[in-house]
Amino acid sequence: MKQSIIKIHRNLDIKNNFSDIKITKKLFIRTFGCQMNEYDSEKIIDILNQKYNLFEVKSPDEADIIIFNTCSIREKAQEKVFSDLGRIKPLKQKNPELILCVGGCVASQEGNFILERAPFVDIIFGPQTIHRIYDLIQKKLQENLPQIDISFPEIEKFDSLPIPHRNKSSAFVSIMEGCNKYCSYCIVPYTRGIEIYRPLKDIIFEIKKLSDIGVKDITLLGQNVNAYKTNIDNKIIDFASLLEYVHEINGIERIRFMTSHPKEMTNKMLDVYKNLYKLVSFLHLPVQSGSDKILSSMKRGYTVAEFRYVIDQLRKARPSLALSTDFIVGFPGESEEDFENTIQLAQEIKFSSAFSFIYSARPGTPASTFPDNVTYHEKQSRLFKLQEVINIHSQEFAKSLIGTKQRVLAENVSTRDEKQIFGRTEYNKIVNFTAPKSIIGTMVDVIITNVNTNTLNARLI
Ligand code: 5AD
Ligand code: SF4
């Protein structure tokens, strides 16, 4: 009798072991575009990791599953996806078992049309359906037909994501999806949908979990984070209040957010810059143009004077604040004078870093129908002039750090030199310094010794 019970137990064990065995899959994932896509790619890996014995590979020709998580913010980014798909085509012809997936904003924008240009694609999914990726793969295997799901199933995405497990000292946490601003040039409200805010308790739960596994540096993510709002017991929780809640979480030492809008920099936001010491002294606040005429045509909802006022107030609230921004040059109707106003604003604010882009007409956006009489050559020359100004200020900013003490989150061993550790300052600058590996994952103080083009060198104190 005893024997048979053991046997049954054994059988059960064996059965469980079989059901636990996961199929091994090698994944190649390429992420285009913004941090929202980086966040989504990390979540895609987490989802597939639950289902498969998953290995990430560095080259598409080693993979069983290839995922392109795409960006459509500018035409160039979108075309890059199609040229990369063209390069993958021979792999698919050689190995019909290979699963090829296109996700993100190009998938959302183009849907079925992707199959017209690249009929060998197996799965097309949008930014709001990343959590269905495994089911889509299964369906493709059963039906042997391409699967498309680019729907917007509200907040379902966040409810279905696994709890993060990766042992990193910094992490992104998405707090909202989409954008309601409808700037006249921008495709995001169409590809990522209208604003949907995650409930406060879910955000706090995720950050606490991340803190438990050693994460110290959190970036709250969304296309428009300072528009965040939710309701608890009939009380409105806005973005400033959310920051206060996150500030309370033990173990979290640094709070960042990305991206915010100048129009939503409320007095309460100024207060959090005064009061919350974990909030980094670094803010990315896209201005786009220094001309009122262009800002109005872009539907940005503020004037240059209002932007200046916001910056003045922020600098009063947090004198050490470093600012970065985005500019678009060559917007339809941008005259030489409008562009000069942009240069003037850049010279006046002295951003510590800035991204600048040539305007790219996006299908379906209002600006794509605006008459545009500036030549591409002229646009390139304006971009070049603006970048020269931006580079001077970012170099000046980096040089001003030489000799200063900076608190750095030690992230990992440098890829260039085994004896060096790289970390990140609160200004998001990468710093290399000699230190033992044991400090990885902790905050340390360093003295900045010199400046390279994109990184800093330092000495551990
Ligand atoms: N053309 C050029 N740049 C764009 N951006 C957004 N849409 C466009 C476009 N159609 C830029 C803006 C934004 C950044 C993420 O991308 O500067 O802040
Ligand atoms: Fe696009 Fe404007 Fe929304 Fe930013 S605020 S995502 S530029 S529509």
Side-chain angles (χ1 to χ4, degrees):
M1 186 63 194
K2 213 175 168 198
Q3 190 105 44
S4 76
I5 289 172
I6 291 170
K7 203 171 162 207
I8 288 165
H9 275 293
R10 275 218 188 111
N11 277 345
L12 279 177
D13 275 345
I14 289 167
K15 197 163 166 259
N16 279 342
N17 280 344
F18 274 130
S19 64
D20 276 353
I21 290 174
K22 294 181 187 167
I23 301 172
T24 296
K25 289 278 181 205
K26 286 182 254 161
L27 170 73
F28 175 80
I29 185 161
R30 175 171 292 160
T31 308
F32 301 79
C34 65
Q35 277 90 348
M36 303 289 287
N37 267 12
E38 277 179 43
Y39 174 85
D40 284 350
S41 289
E42 283 194 10
K43 295 294 170 190
I44 290 168
I45 294 167
D46 287 346
I47 290 163
L48 294 180
N49 210 16
Q50 279 190 324
K51 304 288 182 180
Y52 302 118
N53 179 26
L54 195 73
F55 292 94
E56 256 190 274
V57 290
K58 293 227 160 75
S59 155
D61 43 341
E62 294 171 52
D64 307 310
I65 302 173
I66 295 178
I67 300 178
F68 286 167
N69 194 10
T70 63
C71 169
S72 62
I73 197 113
R74 283 169 290 276
E75 194 185 356
K76 254 194 199 155
Q78 173 148 349
E79 283 312 304
K80 177 100 181 57
V81 173
F82 285 104
S83 64
D84 281 10
L85 279 174
R87 245 173 271 140
I88 296 294
K89 191 177 169 186
L91 293 181
K92 183 75 185 169
Q93 284 163 338
K94 222 167 56 189
N95 172 17
E97 309 276 281
L98 177 69
I99 302 276
L100 183 50
C101 316
V102 179
C105 290
V106 175
S108 173
Q109 172 81 4
E110 300 291 320
N112 261 329
F113 290 110
I114 292 183
L115 291 178
E116 280 179 22
R117 287 182 72 175
F120 47 92
V121 168
D122 297 300
I123 286 157
I124 297 170
F125 63 101
Q128 311 303 352
T129 47
I130 58 168
H131 57 291
R132 297 182 181 164
I133 181 77
Y134 175 75
D135 295 340
L136 290 167
I137 295 176
Q138 290 304 101
K139 223 162 158 217
K140 150 74 198 169
L141 292 175
Q142 280 157 18
E143 297 174 5
N144 201 24
L145 283 172
Q147 301 295 321
I148 305 180
D149 187 349
I150 51 168
S151 56
F152 290 84
E154 291 258 323
I155 206 79
E156 182 190 302
K157 162 179 168 179
F158 293 116
D159 288 343
S160 319
L161 294 177
I163 290 167
H165 67 279
R166 277 190 292 180
N167 202 6
K168 282 192 347 193
S169 44
S170 61
F172 293 137
V173 174
S174 185
I175 64 162
M176 64 178 296
E177 273 289 333
C179 180
N180 293 347
K181 290 276 187 284
Y182 291 93
C183 300
S184 63
Y185 52 83
C186 184
I187 205 161
V188 167
Y190 311 96
T191 56
R192 285 199 171 253
I194 54 163
E195 284 169 14
I196 291 164
Y197 314 110
R198 267 180 98 180
L200 177 73
K201 69 170 181 11
D202 293 4
I203 299 170
I204 300 299
F205 178 78
E206 182 168 343
I207 300 176
K208 281 187 173 157
K209 284 278 158 210
L210 287 165
S211 167
D212 288 348
I213 57 172
V215 168
K216 297 195 164 50
D217 183 320
I218 286 287
T219 304
L220 304 177
L221 274 188
Q223 229 72 48
N224 218 344
V225 285
N226 50 349
Y228 178 86
K229 46 191 152 322
T230 191
N231 219 314
I232 290 188
D233 304 332
N234 292 329
K235 207 177 113 202
I236 301 255
I237 306 289
D238 59 9
F239 184 60
S241 315
L242 169 65
L243 287 170
E244 286 167 353
Y245 279 101
V246 177
H247 201 260
E248 293 293 303
I249 299 175
N250 285 336
I252 297 302
E253 299 196 31
R254 263 182 187 165
I255 307 167
R256 308 173 186 275
F257 56 83
M258 180 105 170
T259 298
S260 49
H261 195 287
K263 218 181 139 187
E264 317 255 9
M265 276 297 165
T266 57
N267 286 340
K268 239 176 125 187
M269 281 303 293
L270 298 176
D271 286 343
V272 295
Y273 271 103
K274 281 186 202 141
N275 300 330
L276 305 187
Y277 68 92
K278 292 182 183 176
L279 190 59
V280 293
S281 292
F282 179 71
L283 171 65
H284 182 70
L285 197 62
V287 62
Q288 313 298 4
S289 169
S291 148
D292 282 341
K293 182 187 99 194
I294 297 298
L295 286 176
S296 156
S297 169
M298 286 176 164
K299 267 190 75 222
R300 288 292 290 175
Y302 53 84
T303 62
V304 180
E306 282 163 346
F307 182 79
R308 269 196 200 104
Y309 179 76
V310 166
I311 300 295
D312 278 353
Q313 295 302 305
L314 283 164
R315 281 180 167 161
K316 276 188 190 131
R318 180 72 74 90
S320 60
L321 191 69
L323 288 153
S324 91
T325 199
D326 292 339
F327 289 107
I328 296 177
V329 302
F331 190 75
E334 185 190 69
S335 65
E336 190 58 44
E337 191 190 340
D338 294 320
F339 175 67
E340 277 310 317
N341 289 336
T342 298
I343 293 280
Q344 228 179 334
L345 185 72
Q347 263 160 347
E348 181 192 321
I349 308 271
K350 295 187 172 42
F351 295 98
S352 70
S353 59
F355 300 96
S356 47
F357 313 99
I358 292 181
Y359 166 72
S360 167
R362 306 312 294 126
T365 60
S368 66
T369 63
F370 295 175
D372 187 359
N373 52 10
V374 186
T375 64
Y376 195 74
H377 180 75
E378 175 59 23
K379 291 182 187 200
Q380 278 179 313
S381 125
R382 288 182 191 174
L383 182 72
F384 185 71
K385 276 189 209 154
L386 178 60
Q387 286 180 342
E388 270 185 333
V389 174
I390 292 168
N391 287 343
I392 291 171
H393 295 143
S394 64
Q395 281 303 307
E396 270 174 14
F397 174 74
K399 279 191 195 136
S400 75
L401 298 177
I402 295 177
T404 63
K405 183 165 99 174
Q406 297 292 324
R407 196 138 179 82
V408 167
L409 176 58
E411 289 193 13
N412 216 330
V413 178
S414 157
T415 41
R416 289 214 193 125
D417 182 348
E418 275 269 303
K419 284 191 220 88
Q420 294 241 304
I421 298 293
F422 78 86
R424 215 172 279 267
T425 67
E426 68 175 312
Y427 307 119
N428 228 1
K429 284 250 176 216
I430 297 282
V431 187
N432 291 297
F433 53 99
T434 306
K437 287 191 180 116
S438 55
I439 66 153
I440 291 172
T442 67
M443 306 281 291
V444 292
D445 287 330
V446 299
I447 300 277
I448 305 299
T449 51
N450 69 297
V451 175
N452 312 312
T453 322
N454 294 314
T455 59
L456 305 168
N457 289 351
R459 174 167 45 79
L460 184 67
I461 300 181

